[in-house]
Amino acid sequence: MVNRLIERDFCCRREGLMIRGREFLPQGDHLPAIIISHGFGGNSMNLESYCRTFAGWGYATYCFDFCGGCPDEEGRSDGKSTEMTVLTERDDLIAVMDYVKELPYVDDSKLTLMGFSQGGFVSALAAAKRANEVHSIILIYPAFCIPDDARRGALANSSYDINCVPEIIDCGKMTIGKMFHETAADMDPYEEIIPYKGPVLLIHGTSDEIVHYSYSVQAQNSYETGQCQLQLIKEAGHHFTEEQTESMIVSIHQFLKGKKEVLTIDVQITGSEVRKDTGTDKQIAVFFTGSSESPFFKGDIVQGAEDVQDYYEGNLTNIRADYALEGVDYVGDHCRIHIVNQRVNGELKPVIHTDSRALDFLNHADLTASIEGFTGGLTVRIFS
């Protein structure tokens, strides 16, 4: 049977303003739901590919345009950008939450909020406001910098005198009002978000020039110990490449399944050799070294690590990375971890053997991996 996906528009209201969005609905009943929020100057059309992916996983998924949150020619919802603030957007999102929770086919106990940039900040604010109604939140380079930017007179790359804030602030592709500044300048974002006690996934690039990743580090520290998973993507900016997005999607999928990142391994490529080349079939061995600095284990890759890659007519058909690490587990015992990582049914499925008693669970766990490339190497993330 083909699992048909229904796509259709929806609307709801917040204080007389119409909020318009789109629903992506898989078959089934009592569905978990995800609401995705766009960033400053964006719109919901940019989020539809994510919605289709999540709906394919069995989630009723929703994206929408914030009231006044898009350039005039792009937004579908009511409202003026000069009347928009992070708190009006928070209330827009809460209105969408109320709409979604009343749908008969949605399980209102399994609602996830996801947001990009300003939409990430707003999602964290909405989760804090309705802490008992949100199952989990996913924040992608969230703009926790907004209050600091307001206090510097630099909201959304604008420049103005904070001692004489103009009624209209020119931010390039959009204008905002003085109220945006006044609302944000008085906020401590890290105090605002702490009422939410559920699971948090926070993903941020280390080369983000719009929102420095240190804001996400501070956000993780503001949540309770163990509550927030922070994933820093090396060399990623305020928008991710296709490869970085693929890795992010794997991380989100594992987070939604309740899995956590147990090993993070930074790999440096040291060389390669062609082992077979018939013109049609090709096999390349890639050699590497590296290290792991993870909560469960700290250590280094031992000599002899290699990744054997098979190609057919120029297309990668199989990989098999085989390597070992030596180091110390989280209880302080010296140990060795042997990893074989290869693709199974489109996923990277590592198999681990370790002599660590503390990490024995890895010998039996259903593991999934993601890979993020950076200059001269890559980051391997293993989830359990």
Side-chain angles (χ1 to χ4, degrees), residues 139-145 190 193 202-205 208 211-223 228-232:
L139 311 177
I140 313 299
Y141 39 80
F144 291 118
C145 63
Y190 305 111
I193 64 177
L202 222 169
I203 302 178
H204 211 131
D208 192 332
V211 182
H212 195 273
Y213 73 88
S214 60
Y215 284 96
S216 287
V217 173
Q218 189 170 349
Q220 182 191 38
N221 293 333
S222 297
Y223 287 116
C228 177
Q229 301 179 46
L230 173 60
Q231 178 174 322
L232 296 177

Side-chain angles (χ1 to χ4, degrees), residues 109-112 131 133-137 196 198-199 256:
S109 69
K110 295 181 179 178
L111 176 63
T112 295
E133 301 176 27
V134 178
H135 181 266
S136 59
I137 57 176
Y196 179 68
L256 293 172

Side-chain angles (χ1 to χ4, degrees), residues 89-154:
E89 289 201 345
R90 179 201 65 186
D91 293 343
D92 288 347
L93 177 51
I94 289 174
V96 175
M97 287 171 54
D98 289 340
Y99 168 82
V100 169
K101 290 176 59 183
E102 292 299 319
L103 296 172
Y105 42 83
V106 166
D107 183 346
D108 64 4
S109 69
K110 295 181 179 178
L111 176 63
T112 295
L113 303 183
M114 174 177 171
F116 292 79
S117 194
Q118 182 168 306
F121 182 23
V122 168
S123 295
L125 293 175
K129 183 76 171 178
R130 294 285 189 89
N132 296 326
E133 301 176 27
V134 178
H135 181 266
S136 59
I137 57 176
I138 301 167
L139 311 177
I140 313 299
Y141 39 80
F144 291 118
C145 63
I146 286 175
D148 279 350
D149 290 348
R151 289 186 278 268
R152 292 188 299 109

Side-chain angles (χ1 to χ4, degrees), residues 50-316:
Y50 296 105
C51 292
R52 294 187 183 98
T53 296
F54 302 155
W57 298 343
Y59 289 80
T61 311
Y62 302 82
C63 60
F64 65 99
D65 291 344
F66 284 111
C67 292
C70 313
D72 293 339
E73 66 277 9
E74 297 178 13
R76 294 184 296 167
S77 297
D78 294 350
K80 300 177 181 178
S81 64
T82 52
E83 297 173 353
M84 175 269 296
T85 72
V86 292
L87 294 186
T88 66
E89 289 201 345
R90 179 201 65 186
D91 293 343
D92 288 347
L93 177 51
I94 289 174
V96 175
M97 287 171 54
D98 289 340
Y99 168 82
V100 169
K101 290 176 59 183
E102 292 299 319
L103 296 172
Y105 42 83
V106 166
D107 183 346
D108 64 4
S109 69
K110 295 181 179 178
L111 176 63
T112 295
L113 303 183
M114 174 177 171
F116 292 79
S117 194
Q118 182 168 306
F121 182 23
V122 168
S123 295
L125 293 175
K129 183 76 171 178
R130 294 285 189 89
N132 296 326
E133 301 176 27
V134 178
H135 181 266
S136 59
I137 57 176
I138 301 167
L139 311 177
I140 313 299
Y141 39 80
F144 291 118
C145 63
I146 286 175
D148 279 350
D149 290 348
R151 289 186 278 268
R152 292 188 299 109
L155 283 167
N157 290 322
S158 63
S159 179
Y160 56 91
D161 184 354
I162 61 171
N163 296 311
C164 186
V165 179
E167 293 297 324
I168 303 296
I169 301 170
D170 185 359
C171 300
K173 62 181 178 180
M174 279 180 57
T175 56
I176 57 176
K178 184 177 181 179
M179 183 59 69
F180 191 118
H181 166 88
E182 292 176 341
T183 299
D186 291 335
M187 295 180 70
D188 180 342
Y190 305 111
E191 287 294 322
E192 295 280 350
I193 64 177
I194 58 175
Y196 179 68
K197 304 301 181 184
V200 181
L201 175 62
L202 222 169
I203 302 178
H204 211 131
T206 61
S207 296
D208 192 332
E209 296 182 350
I210 296 177
V211 182
H212 195 273
Y213 73 88
S214 60
Y215 284 96
S216 287
V217 173
Q218 189 170 349
Q220 182 191 38
N221 293 333
S222 297
Y223 287 116
E224 293 183 351
T225 302
Q227 178 186 358
C228 177
Q229 301 179 46
L230 173 60
Q231 178 174 322
L232 296 177
I233 301 180
K234 285 183 171 60
E235 299 181 354
H238 200 63
H239 297 282
F240 294 160
T241 66
E242 183 177 345
E243 291 77 12
Q244 291 163 348
T245 298
E246 288 177 1
S247 175
M248 178 186 75
I249 291 296
V250 173
S251 298
I252 291 172
H253 200 189
Q254 299 309 302
F255 174 75
L256 293 172
K257 288 180 176 181
K259 294 188 175 184
K260 290 190 175 182
E261 188 175 338
V262 291
L263 284 176
T264 309
I265 305 161
D266 287 327
V267 169
Q268 289 81 45
I269 307 301
T270 58
S272 65
E273 69 177 20
V274 177
R275 291 187 173 168
K276 180 176 71 174
D277 190 353
T278 67
T280 301
D281 294 297
K282 188 174 184 178
Q283 186 177 84
I284 300 174
V286 178
F287 309 113
F288 58 92
T289 186
S291 62
S292 176
E293 289 285 334
S294 306
F296 288 95
F297 171 85
K298 292 177 173 58
D300 299 308
I301 295 175
V302 301
Q303 188 174 2
E306 66 175 29
D307 180 8
V308 178
Q309 304 176 357
D310 295 314
Y311 294 83
Y312 179 74
E313 294 184 344
N315 297 311
L316 180 64

